[in-house]
Amino acid sequence: GESMGALKPGCQVHAITCKVPNAEVGVFEQLLAKHEAFMRETHQPGGDSEPHAMVFTWCKSAGEESTLYGLHECYRGAKGCTEHLVVASAKAPQLLEEFGAIVGKHANSWVTFAPVIHTMKDSMVEGMAAVDCDKKMFQLHFNVDEGSDAEKEMDAFAADHAAFMEETHTPNGSGAEPSPLYFVWTKSAQFKDPFDPSKGSEPKVQFSLTEIYKGQEGCDAHMAAGQANAPLFARFQAVVEKHSVATCMMADVIRSMR
């Protein structure tokens, strides 16, 4: 029902991407195991209580010298994002400190308190409930100057991409592929302190695009649908080339709420 949280504009996201040298992957993944245990213990749905994570994932994309990781957490709104940090300070201060140190060392993009600006018309409640550790995802973060032509370019691309998703994709993993379990665009300020927006922001705007599929088949079908729309695909390649700060393509979901 509604207490599970419908995915819609106004939901808020915390998302971080990290590039970790392969020699340090062991230590990094130990932290992710602890983070997952904390999330599962403290963020389960319970009526209107917060924090309730509608989606929580860490994804992984291994390379020859380093590995990309992406964290994505989606809440029903600002209250969930705030309560997440309140609960972490109260119940797991040591984890929060370790998280700050280890993630802080490797992070190349911090997107926090980020409102969802586009998703599918469907609430995607079924799809989100099916997200677990054998899924595949795309997580792309973009960073542009506030008030620039690049910001306008990203605004227009995000809107047109969302329209393309609505036209060509069936929500919730329920139909023929491509059928995403989850899909959002966010747009937010770049805060000086990612954990405390009250300290102000940089003259930068961050966009993030996240999509989760049941597996490789969904990812491949999504890319094929994208390539079939040549003008949109050319714009996708252009914004990635010019504005992306992190690109996790068809990454494995390795940590989640279930």
Side-chain angles (χ1 to χ4, degrees), residues 2-14 43 48-55 73-85 112-116 182:
E2 186 60 30
S3 71
M4 284 301 290
L7 189 58
K8 54 183 187 271
C11 290
Q12 284 200 8
V13 163
H14 289 316
H43 284 53
D48 292 329
S49 67
E50 294 289 2
H52 159 44
M54 295 158 67
V55 165
E73 301 172 9
C74 184
Y75 297 93
R76 290 174 286 197
K79 189 182 168 199
C81 277
T82 303
E83 283 301 309
H84 165 68
L85 295 170
T112 53
F113 299 94
V116 170
Y182 179 76

Side-chain angles (χ1 to χ4, degrees), residues 21-223:
N22 286 343
E24 296 177 57
V25 153
V27 171
F28 193 82
E29 292 200 5
Q30 282 174 338
L31 174 71
L32 305 197
K34 289 182 203 169
H35 188 221
E36 179 186 64
F38 160 75
M39 292 294 290
R40 287 182 176 186
E41 195 179 310
T42 57
H43 284 53
Q44 293 295 351
D48 292 329
S49 67
E50 294 289 2
H52 159 44
M54 295 158 67
V55 165
F56 156 68
T57 49
W58 273 102
C59 69
K60 173 182 183 177
S61 185
E64 279 176 35
E65 280 157 29
S66 60
T67 299
L68 280 176
Y69 293 90
L71 166 65
H72 186 95
E73 301 172 9
C74 184
Y75 297 93
R76 290 174 286 197
K79 189 182 168 199
C81 277
T82 303
E83 283 301 309
H84 165 68
L85 295 170
V86 169
V87 168
S89 323
K91 295 195 173 172
Q94 198 180 345
L95 175 65
L96 190 61
E97 194 178 317
E98 204 179 325
F99 186 96
I102 295 173
V103 171
K105 182 180 177 184
H106 301 297
N108 54 13
S109 174
W110 295 82
V111 168
T112 53
F113 299 94
V116 170
I117 55 165
H118 301 293
T119 178
M120 298 189 83
K121 288 183 182 129
D122 191 276
S123 69
M124 299 194 89
V125 169
E126 270 173 71
M128 292 189 291
V131 172
D132 60 22
C133 293
D134 67 347
K135 304 299 183 273
K136 289 264 194 184
M137 68 189 284
F138 295 86
Q139 183 170 340
L140 292 87
H141 290 200
F142 304 87
N143 197 303
V144 295
D145 291 332
E146 197 178 355
S148 63
D149 287 345
E151 182 185 352
K152 291 187 190 112
E153 181 186 19
M154 287 303 306
D155 280 332
F157 177 72
D160 292 346
H161 178 271
F164 151 78
M165 292 289 290
E166 191 65 44
E167 279 163 29
T168 57
H169 290 47
T170 312
N172 298 312
S174 54
E177 295 290 6
S179 186
L181 302 173
Y182 179 76
F183 155 62
V184 293
W185 273 99
T186 70
K187 180 183 182 180
S188 55
Q190 183 182 327
F191 298 113
K192 288 178 179 170
D193 177 347
F195 297 130
D196 186 357
S198 74
K199 290 181 185 167
S201 55
E202 307 289 350
K204 292 278 185 184
V205 178
Q206 308 197 101
F207 290 83
S208 77
L209 166 62
T210 307
E211 303 171 22
I212 304 177
Y213 293 91
K214 286 185 284 193
Q216 190 62 43
E217 189 193 340
C219 292
D220 290 341
H222 167 69
M223 292 305 290

